[in-house]
Amino acid sequence: MTGESAVIPESGIVVVDKPRGPSSHQVTAWVGNILGRRVGHAGTLDPQVSGVLVVMFGGAVRLAPVLLSHNKEYVCLMRLHADASRESVEQAAAEFVGRIYQRPPRKSAVKRNLRIRKIQEIDILDMDGRLVLFRVRCDAGTYIRTLCIHLGYAIGTCAHMEELRRIRSGSFDETAAVTLHELADAAAVAREGEGEPLQRMILPAAAAVADLAKVVIRDTAVDAVCHGAVLAGVGVVGKEGGFAKGETVAIMTGRGELVGLGKGLVNSSALKPGEPGFVIAPTSVLMQPGTYPRGWKAHARS
């Protein structure tokens, strides 16, 4: 590792305030160029949509399946095609809270199969003539452009999406977002020896698993998990949150560091810290082997 690259962490998360214009792929590539790391993003935004774009770099890209599944929150400006009262708009919006059916738009990159998504909340913030400003909290993969069209049908006026901004993705909201210019400036001064501004912008991988159930493991078990060993109850010192067999679980150190993700081999109620029996099978390991002292013995082959 060169001295220049040493000032940039090997792995982490940056919440970028994506501007309107470039694609999510282009913005992510710029972040990769700024940091000098391989990158990935969680949740595509159309070029004309702004807001929270979660960019992972280094080993944190393995968290993509978790981040992609996070709920999203948007503020949308919708234009009605005819006059309508606020009461009728609010009544129609209330009908869309819950499970809805959607088909991806024709321009979408995915297959146009009918899908079910859940709308947790729609809040009409303001109306000015035929312009309707609303906030929506929804499942990942919900098409807000399609939601506007369907809302217009329900109101009886027809409608289309005028502007859209994502204000939250999972636990990451726009208050934590930084612009590309801010990130580039922070990386530049970090390479000159002042790393604090960049450190404030880069979040640890553990920030991505705030909503997941967790198991806390012994220091002596960390390196074994880093080598792909299935975790037994004797290596567990604690657990946070409940999980079912087969669900994804975050594997943590006692210091709050994310070792990786695993799949529950038992229900959380059956996991007894300190007792024998396999409990978690690692699926994605983020921590590098050797980070913690080796506390296990390899069996010699005969």
Side-chain angles (χ1 to χ4, degrees):
M1 181 185 297
T2 66
E4 181 174 293
S5 63
V7 299
I8 309 293
E10 288 294 326
S11 176
I13 295 169
V14 180
V15 183
V16 177
D17 190 339
K18 176 193 170 298
R20 297 178 65 188
S23 67
S24 296
H25 178 77
Q26 181 62 71
V27 170
T28 302
W30 285 333
V31 173
N33 290 337
I34 290 169
L35 299 179
R37 298 285 184 263
R38 69 184 183 99
V39 290
H41 70 267
T44 301
L45 292 173
D46 289 345
Q48 294 309 309
V49 177
S50 67
V52 172
L53 181 67
V54 180
V55 179
M56 308 148 288
F57 65 91
V61 298
R62 299 189 184 99
L63 294 170
V66 172
L67 292 169
L68 286 168
S69 67
H70 280 171
N71 288 345
K72 306 294 191 289
E73 189 171 344
Y74 299 88
V75 170
C76 177
L77 184 64
M78 175 177 69
R79 182 178 292 277
L80 305 178
H81 296 179
D83 294 337
S85 68
R86 178 159 182 158
E87 181 182 9
S88 64
V89 172
E90 290 180 339
Q91 287 178 347
E95 295 175 2
F96 283 81
V97 176
R99 289 159 60 89
I100 63 170
Y101 291 91
Q102 285 194 329
R103 193 181 299 278
R106 294 185 183 278
K107 293 183 179 180
S108 173
V110 301
K111 292 184 178 180
R112 300 189 66 244
N113 296 331
L114 196 65
R115 54 171 65 182
I116 298 174
R117 291 294 183 266
K118 185 176 182 181
I119 305 292
Q120 284 84 28
E121 183 181 5
I122 300 180
D123 184 18
I124 305 301
L125 301 175
D126 197 11
M127 282 187 64
D128 183 7
R130 296 181 179 181
L131 292 175
V132 180
L133 185 70
F134 67 90
R135 180 179 59 83
V136 56
R137 190 160 50 88
C138 55
D139 280 354
T142 303
Y143 287 95
I144 307 303
R145 190 182 304 275
T146 301
L147 175 63
C148 288
I149 293 171
H150 291 172
L151 272 170
Y153 292 152
I155 296 166
T157 62
C158 293
H160 68 269
M161 188 182 83
E162 191 91 350
E163 285 190 40
L164 184 65
R165 177 172 176 80
R166 184 156 69 197
I167 60 173
R168 179 180 293 273
S169 178
S171 60
F172 305 111
D173 65 20
E174 60 183 347
T175 62
V178 299
T179 67
L180 288 166
H181 288 100
E182 289 171 337
L183 183 64
D185 288 346
V189 298
R191 291 187 171 98
E192 294 171 359
E194 179 52 57
E196 186 178 348
L198 184 62
Q199 290 173 5
R200 291 198 300 266
M201 296 178 183
I202 294 178
L203 304 174
V209 298
D211 299 331
L212 285 182
K214 301 173 181 64
V215 293
V216 181
I217 64 175
R218 300 180 187 278
D219 288 356
T220 52
V222 172
D223 198 58
V225 173
C226 290
H227 281 85
V230 177
L231 182 64
V234 292
V236 178
V237 295
K239 55 184 178 178
E240 301 174 17
F243 58 90
K245 182 178 179 180
E247 287 186 346
T248 298
V249 182
I251 305 170
M252 313 293 296
T253 70
R255 300 174 185 173
E257 303 157 307
L258 179 63
V259 181
L261 305 176
K263 182 176 292 186
L265 300 178
V266 297
N267 295 333
S268 56
S269 58
L271 194 166
K272 307 298 181 184
E275 295 189 0
F278 293 130
V279 292
I280 306 291
T283 53
S284 298
V285 176
L286 279 73
M287 185 172 284
Q288 290 294 318
T291 303
Y292 274 66
R294 183 169 177 168
W296 54 282
K297 294 181 180 180
H299 293 287
R301 293 185 178 181
S302 56

